[in-house]
Tab-separated table of all heavy atoms in Angstrom:
chain	number	residue	atom	x	y	z
A	192	GLY	N	-6.433	-24.653	7.977
A	192	GLY	CA	-5.648	-24.315	6.823
A	192	GLY	C	-5.161	-22.804	6.835
A	192	GLY	O	-4.044	-22.499	6.610
A	193	TRP	N	-6.163	-22.043	7.051
A	193	TRP	CA	-5.783	-20.526	6.955
A	193	TRP	C	-4.960	-20.180	8.024
A	193	TRP	O	-4.033	-19.191	7.924
A	193	TRP	CB	-7.135	-19.639	6.856
A	193	TRP	CG	-7.935	-19.664	8.143
A	193	TRP	CD1	-9.043	-20.395	8.417
A	193	TRP	CD2	-7.807	-18.763	9.217
A	193	TRP	NE1	-9.548	-20.095	9.674
A	193	TRP	CE2	-8.872	-19.076	10.204
A	193	TRP	CE3	-6.896	-17.759	9.581
A	193	TRP	CZ2	-8.948	-18.411	11.419
A	193	TRP	CZ3	-6.980	-17.074	10.852
A	193	TRP	CH2	-7.989	-17.465	11.663
A	194	ARG	N	-4.923	-20.814	9.239
A	194	ARG	CA	-4.064	-20.561	10.312
A	194	ARG	C	-2.702	-20.907	9.965
A	194	ARG	O	-1.646	-20.238	10.232
A	194	ARG	CB	-4.602	-21.180	11.604
A	194	ARG	CG	-5.948	-20.681	12.064
A	194	ARG	CD	-6.343	-21.234	13.349
A	194	ARG	NE	-7.699	-20.898	13.820
A	194	ARG	CZ	-8.054	-19.816	14.424
A	194	ARG	NH1	-7.089	-18.919	14.718
A	194	ARG	NH2	-9.264	-19.520	14.754
A	195	VAL	N	-2.522	-22.106	9.431
A	195	VAL	CA	-1.227	-22.601	9.006
A	195	VAL	C	-0.585	-21.653	7.901
A	195	VAL	O	0.545	-21.314	7.947
A	195	VAL	CB	-1.272	-24.032	8.406
A	195	VAL	CG1	0.065	-24.444	7.818
A	195	VAL	CG2	-1.758	-24.960	9.476
A	196	PHE	N	-1.428	-21.222	6.971
A	196	PHE	CA	-0.995	-20.330	5.952
A	196	PHE	C	-0.459	-19.009	6.519
A	196	PHE	O	0.693	-18.574	6.174
A	196	PHE	CB	-2.181	-19.916	5.036
A	196	PHE	CG	-1.908	-19.782	3.614
A	196	PHE	CD1	-2.934	-19.852	2.694
A	196	PHE	CD2	-0.592	-19.803	3.178
A	196	PHE	CE1	-2.688	-19.629	1.284
A	196	PHE	CE2	-0.317	-19.650	1.742
A	196	PHE	CZ	-1.402	-19.604	0.848
A	197	PHE	N	-1.165	-18.392	7.480
A	197	PHE	CA	-0.670	-17.128	8.041
A	197	PHE	C	0.585	-17.420	8.927
A	197	PHE	O	1.568	-16.597	8.938
A	197	PHE	CB	-1.684	-16.568	9.010
A	197	PHE	CG	-2.708	-15.759	8.310
A	197	PHE	CD1	-4.103	-15.923	8.577
A	197	PHE	CD2	-2.335	-14.792	7.462
A	197	PHE	CE1	-5.036	-15.182	7.931
A	197	PHE	CE2	-3.357	-13.971	6.776
A	197	PHE	CZ	-4.602	-14.106	7.062
A	198	ALA	N	0.708	-18.585	9.613
A	198	ALA	CA	1.868	-18.892	10.376
A	198	ALA	C	3.132	-18.959	9.578
A	198	ALA	O	4.211	-18.668	9.973
A	198	ALA	CB	1.620	-20.158	11.185
A	199	LEU	N	3.032	-19.404	8.271
A	199	LEU	CA	4.145	-19.470	7.362
A	199	LEU	C	4.694	-18.088	7.039
A	199	LEU	O	5.823	-17.963	6.500
A	199	LEU	CB	3.768	-20.189	6.045
A	199	LEU	CG	3.502	-21.680	6.217
A	199	LEU	CD1	3.020	-22.283	4.894
A	199	LEU	CD2	4.638	-22.504	6.726
A	200	GLY	N	3.960	-17.057	7.354
A	200	GLY	CA	4.362	-15.693	7.160
A	200	GLY	C	5.633	-15.214	7.898
A	200	GLY	O	6.208	-14.206	7.559
A	201	ILE	N	6.089	-16.016	8.762
A	201	ILE	CA	7.244	-15.682	9.620
A	201	ILE	C	8.518	-15.866	8.790
A	201	ILE	O	9.651	-15.301	9.089
A	201	ILE	CB	7.349	-16.539	10.823
A	201	ILE	CG1	8.311	-15.947	11.848
A	201	ILE	CG2	7.818	-17.947	10.471
A	201	ILE	CD1	7.996	-14.601	12.363
A	202	ILE	N	8.437	-16.563	7.546
A	202	ILE	CA	9.619	-16.841	6.813
A	202	ILE	C	10.447	-15.662	6.427
A	202	ILE	O	11.633	-15.748	6.478
A	202	ILE	CB	9.195	-17.648	5.585
A	202	ILE	CG1	8.666	-19.095	5.970
A	202	ILE	CG2	10.388	-17.821	4.591
A	202	ILE	CD1	8.048	-19.845	4.837
A	203	PRO	N	9.804	-14.530	5.900
A	203	PRO	CA	10.679	-13.439	5.554
A	203	PRO	C	11.614	-12.837	6.524
A	203	PRO	O	12.564	-12.092	6.242
A	203	PRO	CB	9.662	-12.375	5.108
A	203	PRO	CG	8.478	-13.201	4.699
A	203	PRO	CD	8.429	-14.305	5.622
A	204	ALA	N	11.395	-13.239	7.825
A	204	ALA	CA	12.299	-12.580	8.895
A	204	ALA	C	13.734	-12.986	8.704
A	204	ALA	O	14.636	-12.258	8.980
A	204	ALA	CB	11.762	-13.094	10.307
A	205	GLY	N	14.014	-14.131	8.091
A	205	GLY	CA	15.314	-14.614	7.833
A	205	GLY	C	16.117	-13.733	6.912
A	205	GLY	O	17.362	-13.747	7.005
A	206	LEU	N	15.341	-12.966	6.069
A	206	LEU	CA	16.088	-12.073	5.114
A	206	LEU	C	16.924	-10.991	5.763
A	206	LEU	O	17.875	-10.498	5.293
A	206	LEU	CB	15.016	-11.498	4.142
A	206	LEU	CG	15.588	-10.541	3.068
A	206	LEU	CD1	16.529	-11.236	2.073
A	206	LEU	CD2	14.389	-9.865	2.326
A	207	VAL	N	16.503	-10.705	6.945
A	207	VAL	CA	17.148	-9.557	7.734
A	207	VAL	C	18.587	-9.865	7.953
A	207	VAL	O	19.470	-8.969	7.924
A	207	VAL	CB	16.419	-9.245	9.026
A	207	VAL	CG1	17.201	-8.359	9.920
A	207	VAL	CG2	15.074	-8.686	8.712
A	208	PHE	N	18.934	-11.048	8.191
A	208	PHE	CA	20.341	-11.540	8.430
A	208	PHE	C	21.264	-11.238	7.221
A	208	PHE	O	22.280	-10.801	7.282
A	208	PHE	CB	20.419	-12.965	8.904
A	208	PHE	CG	19.706	-13.172	10.140
A	208	PHE	CD1	18.472	-13.840	10.124
A	208	PHE	CD2	20.301	-12.844	11.376
A	208	PHE	CE1	17.859	-14.065	11.354
A	208	PHE	CE2	19.660	-13.058	12.559
A	208	PHE	CZ	18.399	-13.706	12.552
A	209	PHE	N	20.642	-11.434	6.013
A	209	PHE	CA	21.348	-11.207	4.779
A	209	PHE	C	21.670	-9.707	4.617
A	209	PHE	O	22.720	-9.323	4.284
A	209	PHE	CB	20.588	-11.715	3.606
A	209	PHE	CG	21.002	-11.244	2.247
A	209	PHE	CD1	22.084	-11.743	1.632
A	209	PHE	CD2	20.307	-10.210	1.696
A	209	PHE	CE1	22.529	-11.249	0.347
A	209	PHE	CE2	20.692	-9.725	0.404
A	209	PHE	CZ	21.791	-10.266	-0.196
A	210	ILE	N	20.668	-8.963	4.931
A	210	ILE	CA	20.782	-7.516	4.667
A	210	ILE	C	21.841	-6.893	5.704
A	210	ILE	O	22.559	-6.069	5.329
A	210	ILE	CB	19.346	-6.879	4.904
A	210	ILE	CG1	18.401	-7.307	3.791
A	210	ILE	CG2	19.433	-5.347	4.943
A	210	ILE	CD1	16.941	-6.814	3.949
A	211	ARG	N	21.709	-7.350	6.951
A	211	ARG	CA	22.655	-6.864	7.885
A	211	ARG	C	24.163	-7.108	7.511
A	211	ARG	O	24.970	-6.312	7.875
A	211	ARG	CB	22.387	-7.513	9.256
A	211	ARG	CG	21.115	-6.985	10.005
A	211	ARG	CD	20.895	-7.754	11.239
A	211	ARG	NE	21.907	-7.620	12.276
A	211	ARG	CZ	21.951	-6.596	13.135
A	211	ARG	NH1	20.979	-5.684	13.156
A	211	ARG	NH2	22.944	-6.511	13.912
A	212	ARG	N	24.396	-8.288	6.978
A	212	ARG	CA	25.730	-8.655	6.643
A	212	ARG	C	26.305	-8.098	5.305
A	212	ARG	O	27.494	-7.797	5.167
A	212	ARG	CB	25.915	-10.219	6.614
A	212	ARG	CG	25.752	-10.839	7.952
A	212	ARG	CD	25.841	-12.364	7.858
A	212	ARG	NE	27.130	-12.755	7.235
A	212	ARG	CZ	28.252	-12.945	7.903
A	212	ARG	NH1	28.294	-12.704	9.217
A	212	ARG	NH2	29.343	-13.324	7.350
A	213	LEU	N	25.377	-7.954	4.304
A	213	LEU	CA	25.939	-7.749	2.920
A	213	LEU	C	25.461	-6.476	2.348
A	213	LEU	O	26.058	-6.047	1.249
A	213	LEU	CB	25.483	-8.914	2.017
A	213	LEU	CG	26.017	-10.310	2.466
A	213	LEU	CD1	25.456	-11.383	1.586
A	213	LEU	CD2	27.533	-10.350	2.386
A	214	VAL	N	24.507	-5.752	2.835
A	214	VAL	CA	23.926	-4.590	2.079
A	214	VAL	C	24.370	-3.305	2.756
A	214	VAL	O	24.016	-3.061	3.973
A	214	VAL	CB	22.344	-4.668	2.003
A	214	VAL	CG1	21.796	-3.452	1.309
A	214	VAL	CG2	22.006	-6.042	1.377
A	215	PRO	N	25.190	-2.457	2.071
A	215	PRO	CA	25.584	-1.163	2.706
A	215	PRO	C	24.548	-0.129	2.507
A	215	PRO	O	23.563	-0.284	1.770
A	215	PRO	CB	26.802	-0.834	1.807
A	215	PRO	CG	26.522	-1.469	0.463
A	215	PRO	CD	25.734	-2.677	0.705
A	216	GLU	N	24.687	0.935	3.238
A	216	GLU	CA	23.830	2.092	3.118
A	216	GLU	C	24.018	2.837	1.820
A	216	GLU	O	25.137	2.711	1.128
A	216	GLU	CB	24.126	3.030	4.291
A	216	GLU	CG	23.176	4.277	4.348
A	216	GLU	CD	21.735	3.903	4.396
A	216	GLU	OE1	21.196	3.600	5.569
A	216	GLU	OE2	21.124	3.786	3.398
A	217	SER	N	23.004	3.447	1.271
A	217	SER	CA	23.051	4.235	0.115
A	217	SER	C	24.160	5.306	0.177
A	217	SER	O	24.249	6.020	1.170
A	217	SER	CB	21.678	4.927	-0.156
A	217	SER	OG	21.863	6.101	-0.879
A	218	GLY	N	25.053	5.374	-0.844
A	218	GLY	CA	26.063	6.434	-0.835
A	218	GLY	C	25.555	7.747	-0.802
A	218	GLY	O	26.076	8.704	-0.146
A	219	ILE	N	24.431	8.001	-1.495
A	219	ILE	CA	23.856	9.412	-1.530
A	219	ILE	C	23.363	9.727	-0.118
A	219	ILE	O	23.592	10.889	0.268
A	219	ILE	CB	22.704	9.448	-2.556
A	219	ILE	CG1	23.225	9.270	-4.066
A	219	ILE	CG2	21.828	10.685	-2.386
A	219	ILE	CD1	22.160	9.133	-5.008
A	220	TYR	N	22.720	8.829	0.522
A	220	TYR	CA	22.246	9.136	1.914
A	220	TYR	C	23.455	9.260	2.882
A	220	TYR	O	23.478	10.156	3.753
A	220	TYR	CB	21.372	8.017	2.423
A	220	TYR	CG	20.987	8.209	3.952
A	220	TYR	CD1	19.966	9.130	4.178
A	220	TYR	CD2	21.632	7.609	4.878
A	220	TYR	CE1	19.682	9.378	5.607
A	220	TYR	CE2	21.380	7.863	6.240
A	220	TYR	CZ	20.349	8.695	6.584
A	220	TYR	OH	20.056	8.976	7.783
A	221	ALA	N	24.495	8.415	2.678
A	221	ALA	CA	25.698	8.567	3.522
A	221	ALA	C	26.255	9.998	3.369
A	221	ALA	O	26.803	10.494	4.409
A	221	ALA	CB	26.652	7.453	3.143
Side-chain angles (χ1 to χ4, degrees):
W193 68 265
R194 297 183 185 276
V195 173
F196 217 168
F197 277 133
L199 293 176
I201 197 65
I202 293 173
L206 179 63
V207 170
F208 296 102
F209 164 79
I210 295 174
R211 286 175 62 87
R212 290 178 58 87
L213 299 177
V214 180
E216 185 56 86
S217 154
I219 292 176
Y220 175 79

